DNA sequence: GCGCAAAGTTGCGTGCACGCAATTTTGGAC
DNA sequence: GTCCAAAATTGCGTGCACGCAACTTTGCGC
């Protein structure tokens, strides 16, 4: 938040307005009954502008309940453990339970939520590099971690039994999914 | 090709017809000047049917130059090596050079081509399982491998210097990208 | 052959993503 | 305060993906 030119603040404001409008409307009318136009309208902005902020209808809704930044990696200790802690940290947010239920229930939102995992790859790459790992190696590892996170999210969202029930603790699932990658991560230790 | 009911053969035929029409038209007019309607038309099929076969305009074009199935994993030896060979094998196809140039040149096609890598995950999971690895572990590893493959493809497609030049040998890039995952793969050995 | 259920195709309608060019807003320099 | 270049917003137009509900084809049992 270092630079806060007025312009930047206004942009952030409309972004937030769009997110909140999207979430509110989706919760009120059901996610499939919300049109982009309504969201834009509720945020006091033109429909075209909506897509200057979000690449799809679902993104605004999901963004409203998604952590914006990854926690930093712990400085020392095994890389695998530090990564697991960071990823778990990122996905351990309170977040409106009703909103989460809606996301887990709706296919489009589910997919969009899972794709969130791609967003951690950039920061992860940097973080891994800053621990002395070669940049190209770090890129691959971050991509692998992102893929594992997606698997974990998919497992978490998978309808268990007949009912749409969250199938286990997300932190546990994330740690379990990252486990197979641990040898690769710890092999980078100097 | 075990089951070849007439129905199945006709489906395959239209699929191929669509692919070839798409590729031919894209090569002739430039990929951005080809409308879905034209492709469908050239394949003697309704536009609506196009999307029963391909989820996007780009997919048919890319599918025309993409290997349909992964080579099987070698039965013995280290898993990492077997996987690397299989993935390299999958991406080592002749393929019309002109078509490849077009794909590497056009942003939309590039992205679609990279996403091809997701298609190897299913077969890979099965293959890894059949080597005695736990199913959940295999799923994560396959996802990681797919992610690494995407990184390799992206590096390969990255415009090097000012010109749109393929930046190195794809097999080399794939092996390099898979290298960091080797410890994780070989750690599964009984 | 005959008929019928399943599979595939088609047309229609809707909402959406996005390129483009025109317009409005912003904010620092003077 | 005034001005202007950069940035953001907007409207428009286009092509596309896809749900849905007819309609047509297929292929199997008889």
């Amino acid at each position: 938040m270092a630079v806060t030119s007025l312009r930047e603040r206004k942009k952030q404001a409309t972004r937030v307005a769009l997110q909140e409008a999207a979430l509110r409307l989706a919760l009120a009318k059901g996610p499939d009954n919300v049109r982009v136009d309504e969201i834009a309208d509720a945020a006091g902005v033109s429909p075209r502008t909506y897509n200057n902020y979000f690449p799809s209808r679902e993104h605004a809704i999901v963004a409203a309940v998604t952590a914006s930044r990854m926690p930093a990696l712990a400085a020392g200790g095994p890389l695998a453990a530090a990564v697991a802690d960071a990823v778990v940290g990122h996905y351990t947010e309170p977040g409106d339970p009703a909103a989460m239920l809606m996301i887990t229930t709706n296919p489009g939102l589910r997919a969009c939520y899972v794709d969130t995992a791609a967003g951690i790859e950039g920061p992860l790459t940097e973080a891994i590099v800053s621990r002395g790992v070669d940049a190209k190696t770090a890129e691959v590892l971050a991509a692998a971690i992102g893929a594992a996170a997606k698997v974990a999210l998919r497992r978490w969202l998978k309808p268990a039994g007949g009912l749409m029930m969250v199938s286990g603790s997300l932190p546990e699932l994330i740690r379990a999914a990252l486990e197979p990658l641990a040898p690769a991560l710890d092999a980078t230790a100097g």
Side-chain angles (χ1 to χ4, degrees), chain A:
Chain A
M1 308 288 177
V3 185
T4 327
S5 87
L6 176 61
R7 232 171 195 158
E8 215 54 38
R9 258 179 291 147
K10 286 195 83 171
K11 270 188 78 123
Q12 227 46 29
T14 41
R15 166 169 246 101
V16 170
L18 283 169
Q19 287 176 2
E20 293 183 345
L23 182 56
R24 184 169 51 75
L25 288 171
L27 283 170
K29 315 176 45 175
D32 290 336
N33 303 323
V34 182
R35 307 278 141 258
V36 163
D37 301 22
E38 304 180 69
I39 301 176
D41 210 47
V45 119
S46 105
R48 180 63 183 83
T49 295
Y50 177 92
N51 285 102
N52 290 343
Y53 283 84
F54 298 99
S56 89
R57 188 173 62 86
E58 288 85 358
H59 270 74
I61 304 177
V62 169
V65 294
T66 298
S68 40
R69 290 179 314 183
M70 270 260 305
L73 250 53
L79 181 55
V83 164
D85 289 345
V87 177
V88 167
H90 183 252
Y91 283 100
T92 307
E93 281 221 324
D96 182 357
M100 284 313 298
L101 177 63
M102 178 177 68
I103 290 179
T104 61
T105 299
N106 183 284
L109 295 180
R110 268 208 303 270
C112 190
Y113 185 65
V114 169
D115 279 351
T116 302
I120 70 178
E121 295 184 16
L124 259 183
T125 304
E126 292 177 35
I128 296 176
V129 165
S130 79
R131 282 183 64 137
V133 176
D134 171 64
K136 292 191 175 177
T137 301
E139 188 188 5
V140 170
L141 293 178
I145 293 163
K150 283 187 193 177
V151 171
L153 288 171
R154 228 173 272 126
R155 285 175 183 163
W156 185 57
L157 295 171
K158 174 153 297 174
L163 245 175
M164 194 68 58
M165 200 66 209
V166 161
S167 44
S169 135
L170 181 53
E172 288 303 316
L173 286 170
I174 291 175
R175 287 185 193 280
L178 288 177
E179 184 70 27
L181 298 181
L185 294 174
D186 289 335
T188 65

